[in-house]
Amino acid sequence: MQHNSYLDLAPIPEGQTAAQALKATVDLAQAAEKAGFHRYWLAEHHNMPGIASAATAVLIGHVAGQTRTMRIGAGGIMLPNHSPLVVAEQFGTLASLYPNRIDLGLGRAPGTDMQTARALRRHMAQEDTFPQDVQELIAYLGDTPGPVQAIPGTGTNVPVWILGSSTFGAQLAAWLGLPYAFASHFAPTHLDEALDIYRRTFRPSDRLAKPHVMIAIGVSAAQTDEEATYLRSSQLLAFARLRTGRPGQLPRPTHDLSDIPEPILAQARYALSCSAVGSPATVRRELTDLIARYQPDEVMITGMMHDHTARVRSLEIAASVLTDLIQPAAAA
């Protein structure tokens, strides 16, 4: 494994504001940089009361300006919501402001409900143009200017990743010769199959010579297993409420999850099962097992906690574990 990275959705805890959540994101990013994380990605979601990262490119620029060396990127931009030219201009601008520090992960899902997707896109097309849109966007960022140029953008060659939670993204990333990041932190069902397809069918490109896989892992780390499980309950509650049509701000943690119907709680536990939850020793064992099983080139961890101080501490514990796991590969 080459790198460890962090995914942040800028969660808005119950009782707090979006402004407080964005301030916490900057503080968390600075803690991630200090702890040695390689990348810090932010995700595009819309019409969600508990997530403050809707204007993803704007937030990436803010976080990049408040950090110094860590790569800052999108995990991801939901490309169907935007024209490729606009995304190329946004990320070309970011790359011009912060050279060699910007990543662009691209997703095919809307990142919201369909009513909001219609509001974002103005016109809803029936056909899936994601593969063509990805290629158009890459061309705007490349070295050969076309009749329409992204300025800034042309010649920046911002690294583009394909994100996915199914085999479609794996096939596309392999066909285009791009790095692939799997959303196993909330959708682990097709992880084994997708990684196999990507690695087996990968075609080298001028952007990437061999397959490069990142998997996302949820982490809730604390001094004890009991405390980590308690802190993680906020995310389980949030996921369960989203599944039952009651999205809201990130709930306070609880020892009692009995108000969640058992089938919904089981769904939430399964969706978030690619995770490491517990004390430093437990997190080390569970991360080691996941990395040994899937052999990723990179791991991106994530985790939403109501208490910001606890979230920073969880990040620091995970960083200590992951740094140890990276060192043997680096030495080799």
Side-chain angles (χ1 to χ4, degrees):
M1 191 177 71
Q2 301 170 19
H3 300 298
N4 57 292
S5 303
Y6 199 91
L7 173 66
D8 183 12
L9 275 62
I12 307 174
E14 281 182 347
Q16 297 186 27
T17 65
Q20 289 172 301
L22 295 174
K23 183 178 179 181
T25 278
V26 170
D27 185 71
L28 191 69
Q30 291 171 336
E33 184 169 75
K34 184 178 180 181
F37 281 87
H38 181 63
R39 308 179 199 275
Y40 193 93
W41 282 6
L42 296 141
E44 177 186 349
H45 291 279
H46 300 278
N47 195 33
M48 293 193 178
I51 295 177
S53 56
T56 316
V58 176
L59 188 53
I60 287 169
H62 182 57
V63 171
Q66 299 296 313
T67 52
R68 297 180 57 194
T69 59
M70 189 168 52
R71 298 192 67 87
I72 313 297
I77 292 294
M78 301 297 104
L79 191 52
N81 297 337
H82 313 278
S83 79
L85 177 60
V86 169
V87 176
E89 290 172 339
Q90 290 173 346
F91 280 79
T93 300
L94 289 168
S96 299
L97 291 168
Y98 307 103
N100 301 313
R101 291 187 58 206
I102 302 299
D103 295 326
L104 174 54
L106 299 174
R108 178 179 171 228
T112 186
D113 58 272
M114 293 311 297
Q115 184 176 355
T116 307
R118 291 186 182 93
L120 284 164
R121 301 180 196 179
R122 298 178 64 85
H123 304 288
M124 295 290 289
Q126 294 299 316
E127 68 275 12
D128 184 352
T129 61
F130 183 65
Q132 294 86 350
D133 290 345
V134 171
Q135 293 176 87
E136 181 182 343
L137 175 51
I138 289 173
Y140 286 134
L141 297 171
D143 295 320
T144 305
V148 177
Q149 297 183 47
I151 304 171
T154 300
T156 57
N157 291 294
V158 176
V160 172
W161 293 66
I162 299 297
L163 314 184
S165 57
S166 69
T167 58
F168 179 91
Q171 292 169 324
L172 181 62
W175 182 61
L176 294 176
L178 295 174
Y180 180 54
F182 193 90
S184 35
H185 61 298
F186 75 90
T189 302
H190 300 288
L191 177 56
D192 289 283
E193 184 182 8
L195 296 191
D196 174 66
I197 289 172
Y198 174 69
R199 287 166 170 153
R200 183 165 38 82
T201 64
F202 180 85
R203 305 192 313 176
S205 69
D206 57 358
R207 285 180 166 252
L208 191 63
K210 60 182 181 179
H212 190 95
V213 166
M214 178 194 290
I215 64 169
I217 299 174
V219 172
S220 177
Q223 289 308 115
T224 66
D225 290 350
E226 293 74 19
E227 183 185 2
T229 299
Y230 170 70
L231 293 169
R232 187 177 186 246
S233 65
S234 293
Q235 192 164 2
L236 283 169
L237 275 170
F239 195 93
R241 291 175 182 176
L242 181 63
R243 282 290 175 95
T244 54
R246 298 180 295 127
Q249 293 183 326
L250 183 66
R252 291 176 173 83
T254 179
H255 291 290
D256 183 10
L257 296 171
S258 60
D259 64 328
I260 302 175
E262 186 55 40
I264 299 299
L265 184 58
Q267 289 179 27
R269 291 191 188 280
Y270 171 73
L272 304 176
S273 61
C274 186
S275 61
V277 179
S279 67
T282 300
V283 166
R284 178 180 295 274
R285 182 180 69 253
E286 293 181 348
L287 284 176
T288 300
D289 290 346
L290 286 167
I291 291 167
R293 175 176 175 178
Y294 296 110
Q295 296 292 305
D297 300 292
E298 299 192 32
V299 160
M300 178 165 277
I301 69 164
T302 188
M304 295 196 290
M305 294 179 177
H306 188 276
D307 181 79
H308 178 65
T309 301
R311 193 175 183 219
V312 172
R313 181 59 185 145
S314 177
L315 177 152
E316 292 170 342
I317 292 171
S320 177
V321 171
L322 289 167
T323 298
D324 288 346
L325 296 177
I326 287 171
Q327 283 177 343

